[in-house]
């Protein structure tokens, strides 16, 4: 029988050599020292984080949880000269989603969200399918009523943020002047683009701390308030702009033309009262927008001005004393040969006075006067009239036109330039050039902003010469002239029609023309210059005196009435049979 161990028996540690060994004193000291150093390191690290490196860690915390919320500035409004609104900003919500926060499977009400936003359900579901994303735009600049309906659905993960949307009350009539902005509220065309930085103002900011769910916990620093953009008041008259656009559109459609443009200038102040193009576009709804609609043709398209250049050649001949208005110019047999080319008149005559050269639009008469002058003199006058120079307007895409140095002119080129071939200009350049005859010889600088009063011009011709040519322009719209359809009820007018072939490569396109008319009214003391161009009419008529002059007539009458200019004619003008003499 074995003996049971006694319960109270003590253990002999000395029996084990391992337990019997003594621990060196240095080892225990090392352990204690190590623990002490660890505590010192932790204390130092804590001091660094809380005191010395506090700024760095605060910054890192802000990077992870801090957010700068942009406070958008309200974009400045655009008004016409009379205070009518042309562009303003209205509140428009933008809808976005946090896919990581959306229910799985997706909420069935996404179908209703897509329907309200005019989207396909499949496109919306695809856009929010990536669960790793925390932000996806659904649709920008949503109308307030639609945004409220979307919010009422209460779909988890669908959010909205406040933004602004531009509204253009005048629509397509003023589209090429005002332009439009994109979804980022940045100008893309017209005044919106040219003065984008000024209109945009300066956005404010608010620095906040957000939790992991994106909720604002607290503000970190003071709010920087936004600075709204200043308002702009243009020289455009909304009523004149709308009427001009309407008549231009009607003419383009009636003549089955490719396009058309019109410009209305105030002769006294240099203000642009209207600048219209057709086709146009609705800046409030830019779906399926094309480049053809966007083109500001009055400034971007150039063409050979044809017969509308003849008054400048005649004015130079008068200014130099080569001829007087009553001087007879022998034009028989109605043609002249130069450098292997023959220049001819549509209806040959034996002789014409200088006044009749303009009235009948004689190429031969104009050439005979031009060849008595030096090319440099003609070039200087054309350049002073703005040809070959970009108009001083802020619109992007405005062209210089083409006016070659006079040293390169051959005699036949000098001859053709005298009646508008071999150089090119935009319709706006042509309109501004005619301010010389309307303002007694002064070339008037133009402005797109409302002016306080009359502006000074640059003297190109003497007042006597300008008035003499103005009288000739009046004859061109009277009986026996080429622009009888430009006559206006209650107002005397003067102007010049022109017809030019459409250039194609190094030559001209067969059967394609541009018809234009530029003139002024009232004739004795002009207040406005109006220029109209109809591009490629194809309904049987293409001469400027037939397709463009009627638009000029209606625009002049309405504009002067709106401006409060008293009629200077008591009898309705009698439009006799048209005399079409606009040879190419």
């Amino acid at each position: 029988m074995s003996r049971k161990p006694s319960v109270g028996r003590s253990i002999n540690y000395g029996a084990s050599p391992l337990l019997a060994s003594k621990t060196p004193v240095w080892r225990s000291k090392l352990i204690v020292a190590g623990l002490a150093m660890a505590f010192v390191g932790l204390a130092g690290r804590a001091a660094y984080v809380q005191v010395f490196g506090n700024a760095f860690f605060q910054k890192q915390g802000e990077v992870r949880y801090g957010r700068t919320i942009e406070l958008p500035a309200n974009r400045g409004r655009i008004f016409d000269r009379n205070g009518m609104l042309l562009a303003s900003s209205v509140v428009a919500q933008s809808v976005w989603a946090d896919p990581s926060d959306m229910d799985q499977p997706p909420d069935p009400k996404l179908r209703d969200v897509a329907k309200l936003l005019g989207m396909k359900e499949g496109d919306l579901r695809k856009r929010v399918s990536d669960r790793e994303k925390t932000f996806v735009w659904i649709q920008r600049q949503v109308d307030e009523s639609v945004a409220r309906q979307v919010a009422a659905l209460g779909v988890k993960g669908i959010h909205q943020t406040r933004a602004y949307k531009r509204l253009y009350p005048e629509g397509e009539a003023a589209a090429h002047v005002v332009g439009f902005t994109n979804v980022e509220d940045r100008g893309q065309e017209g005044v919106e683009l040219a003065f984008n930085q000024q209109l945009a103002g300066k956005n404010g900011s608010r620095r906040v701390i957000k939790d992991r769910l994106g909720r604002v916990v607290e503000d970190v620093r003071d709010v920087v308030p936004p600075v709204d953009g200043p308002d702009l008041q243009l020289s455009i008259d909304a009523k004149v702009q709308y009427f001009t656009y309407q008549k231009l559109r009607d003419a383009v459609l009636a003549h089955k033309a490719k396009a058309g443009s019109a410009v209305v200038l105030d002769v006294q102040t240099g203000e642009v009262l209207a600048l219209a193009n057709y086709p146009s576009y609705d800046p409030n709804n830019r779906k399926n927008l094309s480049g053809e609609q966007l083109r500001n043709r009055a400034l971007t398209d150039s063409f050979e001005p044809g017969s509308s250049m003849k008054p400048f050649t005649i004015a130079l001949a008068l200014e130099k004393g080569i001829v007087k208005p009553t001087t007879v110019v022998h034009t028989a047999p109605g043609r002249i040969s130069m450098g292997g080319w023959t220049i001819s008149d549509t209806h040959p005559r034996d002789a014409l006075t200088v006044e009749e050269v303009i009235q009948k639009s004689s190429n031969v008469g104009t050439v005979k006067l031009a060849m008595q002058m030096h090319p440099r003199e003609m070039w200087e006058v054309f350049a002073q009239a703005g040809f070959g120079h970009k108009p001083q307007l802020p619109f992007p895409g405005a062209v210089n036109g083409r006016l070659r140095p006079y040293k390169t002119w051959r005699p036949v080129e000098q001859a053709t330039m005298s009646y508008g071939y071999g150089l090119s200009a935009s319709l706006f350049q042509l309109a501004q050039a005619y301010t010389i005859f309307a303002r007694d010889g002064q070339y008037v600088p133009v402005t797109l902003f409302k002016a306080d009063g009359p502006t000074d011009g640059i003297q190109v011709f003497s007042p006597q010469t300008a008035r003499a040519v103005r009288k000739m322009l009046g004859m061109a719209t009277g009986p026996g002239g080429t622009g009888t359809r430009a006559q206006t009820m209650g107002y005397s007018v003067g102007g010049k029609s022109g017809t030019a072939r459409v250039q194609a490569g190094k030559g001209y396109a067969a059967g394609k023309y541009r018809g234009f008319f530029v003139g002024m009214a009232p004739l004795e003391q002009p207040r406005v210059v109006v220029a109209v161009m109809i591009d490629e009419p194809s309904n049987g008529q293409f001469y400027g005196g037939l397709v463009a002059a009627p638009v000029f007539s209606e625009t002049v009458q309405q504009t002067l009435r709106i401006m409060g200019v008293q009629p200077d004619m008591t009898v309705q003008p009698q439009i006799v049979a048209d005399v079409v003499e606009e040879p190419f």
Side-chain angles (χ1 to χ4, degrees):
M1 176 180 294
S2 61
R3 182 183 297 176
K4 294 182 179 181
S6 174
V7 175
R9 185 179 176 181
S10 61
I11 299 174
N12 185 8
Y13 291 98
S16 172
L18 181 61
L19 295 176
S21 63
K22 294 183 178 180
T23 303
V25 177
W26 64 267
R27 182 179 297 178
S28 60
K29 290 182 177 179
L30 179 64
I31 293 172
V32 172
L35 291 173
M37 290 179 65
F39 279 109
V40 169
L42 289 173
R45 179 64 178 172
Y48 173 74
V49 171
Q50 296 295 326
V51 181
F52 303 107
N54 181 260
F56 171 78
F57 289 101
Q58 287 280 4
K59 183 177 180 180
Q60 292 301 308
E62 283 196 28
V63 168
R64 288 165 174 76
Y65 298 101
R67 295 291 184 269
T68 298
I69 300 176
E70 188 175 71
L71 304 177
N74 197 356
R75 192 174 178 87
R77 297 170 296 178
I78 302 175
F79 295 96
D80 85 332
R81 64 184 301 103
N82 300 311
M84 290 186 66
L85 198 61
L86 299 178
S88 66
S89 295
V90 295
V91 175
Q93 301 290 343
S94 291
V95 181
W96 60 278
D98 180 356
S100 66
D101 191 39
M102 299 185 74
D103 292 333
Q104 289 296 326
D107 193 323
K109 287 186 288 187
L110 277 179
R111 180 185 302 106
D112 299 322
V113 173
K115 184 177 180 180
L116 285 170
L117 297 178
M119 302 174 61
K120 293 181 179 179
E121 183 184 356
D123 292 341
L124 176 58
R125 291 184 180 274
K126 183 178 180 181
R127 194 170 295 185
V128 299
S129 61
D130 190 347
R131 298 279 295 172
E132 294 184 1
K133 290 184 177 180
T134 59
F135 183 92
V136 175
W137 281 118
I138 302 300
Q139 193 170 109
R140 310 284 294 273
Q141 296 183 344
V142 178
D143 290 341
E144 279 288 295
S145 59
V146 175
R148 284 194 295 267
Q149 294 179 66
V150 171
L153 292 174
V155 178
K156 187 178 180 182
I158 298 293
H159 307 279
Q160 296 182 22
T161 184
R162 182 173 177 175
Y164 291 102
K165 177 182 179 181
R166 291 296 260 185
L167 182 66
Y168 303 98
E170 293 301 310
E172 62 183 24
H176 290 103
V177 175
V178 181
F180 60 88
T181 60
N182 61 10
V183 292
E184 301 292 343
D185 215 22
R186 296 190 181 97
Q188 301 297 295
E189 292 288 339
V191 171
E192 293 278 30
L193 172 59
F195 299 95
N196 178 67
Q197 189 172 2
Q198 183 177 348
L199 286 166
K202 188 176 181 181
N203 291 336
S205 63
R206 176 189 174 198
R207 188 69 179 172
V208 300
I209 296 293
K210 290 186 175 183
D211 63 13
R212 66 183 185 86
L213 298 177
R215 296 173 298 192
V216 175
V217 176
E218 63 174 324
D219 288 323
V220 180
R221 64 183 67 154
D222 293 337
V223 174
V224 178
V227 179
D228 292 341
D231 297 334
L232 295 182
Q233 186 168 28
L234 305 184
S235 60
I236 296 295
D237 188 310
K239 294 180 181 178
V240 175
Q241 177 74 28
Y242 177 77
F243 188 85
T244 302
Y245 171 77
Q246 189 180 51
K247 292 304 176 184
L248 179 69
R249 179 195 60 195
D250 292 346
V252 170
L253 296 177
H255 294 287
K256 297 182 180 179
K258 177 181 178 182
S261 300
V263 177
V264 182
L265 302 179
D266 187 320
V267 171
Q268 300 300 320
T269 62
E271 294 169 303
V272 182
L273 300 179
L275 192 157
N277 297 280
Y278 186 84
S280 185
Y281 61 94
D282 183 357
N284 298 300
N285 182 12
R286 301 188 296 276
K287 291 182 179 179
N288 303 318
L289 192 60
S290 68
E292 287 292 302
Q293 293 172 293
L294 282 173
R295 278 168 57 190
N296 192 344
R297 298 170 184 271
L299 285 161
T300 63
D301 289 14
S302 61
F303 53 90
E304 290 179 314
S307 296
S308 60
M309 288 299 294
K310 291 173 182 175
F312 297 95
T313 304
I314 299 301
L316 179 58
L318 293 173
E319 189 81 358
K320 291 181 61 62
I322 296 174
V323 292
K324 296 179 180 179
T326 56
T327 301
V328 175
V329 182
H330 295 283
T331 58
R335 60 182 180 275
I336 184 173
S337 297
M338 298 184 66
W341 296 85
T342 299
I343 298 168
S344 60
D345 288 339
T346 305
H347 299 284
R349 290 179 177 83
D350 292 337
L352 295 169
T353 64
V354 172
E355 291 179 332
E356 290 174 329
V357 168
I358 293 295
Q359 181 189 27
K360 304 298 183 183
S361 194
S362 171
N363 286 347
V364 174
T366 305
V367 168
K368 285 199 169 185
L369 295 179
M371 301 315 291
Q372 298 180 50
M373 297 179 285
H374 193 279
R376 177 178 56 81
E377 296 170 328
M378 290 178 57
W379 182 89
E380 288 176 348
V381 164
F382 291 171
Q384 286 178 314
F387 297 104
H389 302 285
K390 185 180 296 185
Q392 297 302 306
L393 284 182
F395 287 111
V399 297
N400 295 325
R402 182 171 178 262
L403 178 63
R404 293 188 295 109
Y406 66 88
K407 291 182 179 180
T408 66
W409 294 7
R410 295 177 297 162
V412 67
E413 290 174 325
Q414 180 183 353
T416 58
M417 285 189 189
S418 72
Y419 60 91
Y421 284 85
L423 71 160
S424 65
S426 68
L427 186 70
F428 193 94
Q429 287 175 305
L430 199 56
Q432 189 176 6
Y434 265 65
T435 63
I436 294 174
F437 304 123
R439 265 283 291 270
D440 289 346
Q442 291 185 350
Y443 178 75
V444 180
V446 294
T447 177
L448 196 60
F449 295 101
K450 186 176 181 180
D452 296 328
T455 184
D456 295 329
I458 302 170
Q459 203 73 40
V460 178
F461 297 122
S462 67
Q464 294 78 12
T465 297
R467 290 169 192 154
V469 174
R470 196 158 70 226
K471 178 185 175 184
M472 299 177 197
L473 294 174
M475 294 172 61
T477 61
T482 60
T484 57
R485 294 198 178 195
Q487 292 183 37
T488 300
M489 177 82 73
Y491 297 99
S492 59
V493 299
K496 190 72 186 72
S497 58
T499 307
R501 294 185 185 275
V502 174
Q503 292 176 302
K506 295 183 178 180
Y508 297 98
K512 293 184 178 181
Y513 307 93
R514 287 188 179 93
F516 40 91
F517 190 95
V518 56
M520 62 213 66
L523 196 56
E524 289 301 317
Q525 292 183 328
R527 282 300 310 275
V528 295
V529 165
V530 177
V532 179
M533 187 270 290
I534 305 298
D535 190 8
E536 297 185 27
S538 60
N539 198 24
Q541 296 178 332
F542 55 84
Y543 287 108
L546 300 179
V547 299
V551 180
F552 167 90
S553 172
E554 294 173 313
T555 301
V556 163
Q557 184 178 7
Q558 185 73 0
T559 301
L560 294 179
R561 187 189 64 80
I562 291 173
M563 295 174 70
V565 177
Q566 292 297 317
D568 65 338
M569 294 180 64
T570 57
V571 181
Q572 179 178 354
Q574 298 296 316
I575 300 177
V576 296
D578 295 301
V579 178
V580 178
E581 295 190 36
E582 301 172 15
F584 307 104

